Amino acid sequence: MRFQLLGPLSIAHGPETVVLKPSKPTSLLAALLLHPGVVVSTTYLVSAVWDEEPPATARAALQTCVLRLRRLFTKYGISTTTIEAVPGGYRMHNDAETLDLVLFRSLTSQAPAAGGPGEELYRLREALSLWHGPPLANVASRMLRRDAVPSLEQERLRVLERVCDLELAAGNCHQVLVDLYESARRHPVRERFTEQLIEALYRTGRQAEALAEYRTVRDRLREELGVDPGAGLRRLELAILRAEEIGGPDAAATGTAPPSAARPGTGRGTGPGTRPGSGVAAAGPVTAPAPGPAARPPTRPELPRAAAGASPVPSAREAGPAADSGWRGVPVKGRPGRPGLAPVPGFAGREADRRAIAARLTAADGPRLVVVSGAPGIGKSALAHQCAYEVRGEFPGGVYTLALTRPDGIPLTPDEARELLPGPGDAEDGRRLLVLDDAAGAGQVLPLLPAPEDAAVLVTSRRGLAAVVATHGGAVHRLDVLGPDEAYALLAGLVGADRIAAEAQAAAELAGVCGHFPLALRIAAGRLLTRPGLSVADCTAWLAEEPPARFALAEDPRLSVPEVLGQAVGALSAELREVFLRLGTLGPRAPLADAGSETELEQLVEAGMLEDGPPGEPPYRLHSFLLVYARWLARGPFPAPAAPTAPVTR
């Protein structure tokens, strides 16, 4: 017997495959199978089955659904104990023998360790063969289709991109053309498929078709999104025009992209504070490199693509300031030295959040799990690190941090992340604190959570990770922008109290131009630090001429608003990206709800690109700095940022 999720939800019973009809028990089964071996809370299951309209007797009705599922199982010879009732919810124990999703993830995680590219390709092809249509096509739950289906589809596309890379590396350009034509047409915003298609066409002697494909994509991006193709596509075009040799069996046999198609910003697993070749950052103080001069703004905004193919070895993030306001978690194996944990340079504000997080992490009883969520650049990672530093004395077993997303935007798989985490703690070491930074979603976090008695856990993510707190308890802190006093204090802590106090009014105006966004404030501080003779007023005027393009420091793409926010927008689906760009075209009095459907706007809220409005106000609001960015992308006017804490009104 096998449950099949990677297509219409079905049960394979001997030679027969039964596709389940859309029903509440089918939605319940899907919600359980999406979290194999994990306790799924009653609250989550009720939402999955009834969406936003649960009956008054939802818990009793849920028990009826479980009973109906067990009767269905009996019909097909499945043990009724497959669904286990546990305190707080239900659980299904599935493995690679009983659930195609588990087998798919097992094959893809083990493939890079196979004996060479040929064996890796065989395993990945086997994993892709498990897909037999759009996932959950017969599941009525809007919540599951909204939250689970895009994540599953991303997993499949990453594997397909890797398969195409391996085929091209082996010189099988003719054989892979069919896959690439279909993938590039179905997913036009994933530029990696287009890069692979153009490379395959060129290497099979079809230069004119390759150039025509590039120009078609270029024209579509300009007309629909107002952006130029990414650097990888532009390099391919230049190589073709120069008749240069690209790719080949030696270029990617080890799993790397050819130089002509390499994506900018791809991490190589080495850097300051990293042991070369290990992919694991050495323990040591987290220090900030000196900010460099500001980069000149690009002449046209360009959306960095969501990276698509996972490299076989997890990449370590470098220690130092991060795109997300000044710090980025460092993956560690083993216990880091106590002196290695340092406070975040210039950290200011968030006092209520810090007290609440510290109380939760060090509580004597109850869930010791905290999720910090919010927009990109809002300061999630900085707050998590500062809190970890402040409570370090309560964790004699050590503080461990792990970045769950590579610098190029590719999330680590749960298996890759698990390899970088320490094993179960020894009783003599004492309790530990685990910081999981920049989580892509609940499916990435749930397999990593330790036993409650082993460690406290602090997670940062743009998403709210409702499935994590629903199944394990805990608290969610959704960060807003800094208050005016907090933004002023951050500038003073970074640039120097005397210098900021000498131009207090200009500093307040600078904070306003930055939208009180921690990322933008740190970039502005970097510009002031590298130019001791520059006045705060002149810096403010220069930045205000063309925000957000001028909010970038040349040395580090993580300290660049176009890069950080562009990567976040690039990670959205094509439909959600359109809605976000539409937000930049709305008039000052137009309600944000005009930009898209309620479902689309809710997905933008979940992705951290939009906020719920306060009670009594319009239902959605957009941080002023994100609004400026949306207008920049939409090629609209660049007005001065509005008060960052006020919702966008009608």
Side-chain angles (χ1 to χ4, degrees), residues 215-228 300:
R215 286 160 186 164
T216 298
V217 172
R218 179 198 61 194
D219 294 343
R220 187 184 67 245
L221 290 174
R222 287 178 175 175
E223 291 172 6
E224 296 181 6
L225 300 177
V227 299
D228 283 329
R300 181 183 294 272

Side-chain angles (χ1 to χ4, degrees), residues 158 263 266 306-311 404-412 567:
R158 283 195 291 269
R263 294 185 297 277
T266 303
S311 58
L404 294 179
T405 302
R406 298 179 177 88
D408 57 5
I410 304 175
L412 299 182
Q567 189 178 81

Side-chain angles (χ1 to χ4, degrees), residues 54-106:
T57 58
R59 292 180 180 269
L62 185 65
Q63 293 174 353
T64 302
C65 286
V66 172
L67 179 60
R68 290 172 62 186
L69 268 184
R70 286 174 172 161
R71 289 173 180 167
L72 179 67
F73 290 174
T74 301
K75 178 180 178 181
Y76 295 106
I78 305 170
S79 171
T80 57
T81 60
T82 300
I83 300 180
E84 178 187 3
V86 295
Y90 294 87
R91 173 172 53 200
M92 286 187 70
H93 292 284
N94 293 103
D95 55 22
E97 297 295 323
T98 60
L99 179 59
D100 58 356
L101 178 61
V102 176
L103 178 58
F104 174 80
R105 288 172 174 169
S106 175

Side-chain angles (χ1 to χ4, degrees), residues 190-254:
R190 294 182 75 98
E191 291 187 22
R192 183 60 189 140
F193 280 135
T194 304
E195 290 176 19
Q196 292 169 326
L197 174 59
I198 292 173
E199 180 184 341
L201 289 170
Y202 178 61
R203 288 172 58 188
T204 53
R206 298 154 73 173
Q207 177 182 5
E209 290 181 58
L211 287 173
E213 192 71 30
Y214 170 83
R215 286 160 186 164
T216 298
V217 172
R218 179 198 61 194
D219 294 343
R220 187 184 67 245
L221 290 174
R222 287 178 175 175
E223 291 172 6
E224 296 181 6
L225 300 177
V227 299
D228 283 329
L233 279 171
R234 295 198 302 270
R235 280 195 294 269
L236 267 176
E237 181 204 26
L238 186 60
I240 294 171
L241 292 173
R242 292 175 174 174
E244 296 175 353
E245 183 176 350
I246 60 175
D250 296 332
T254 59

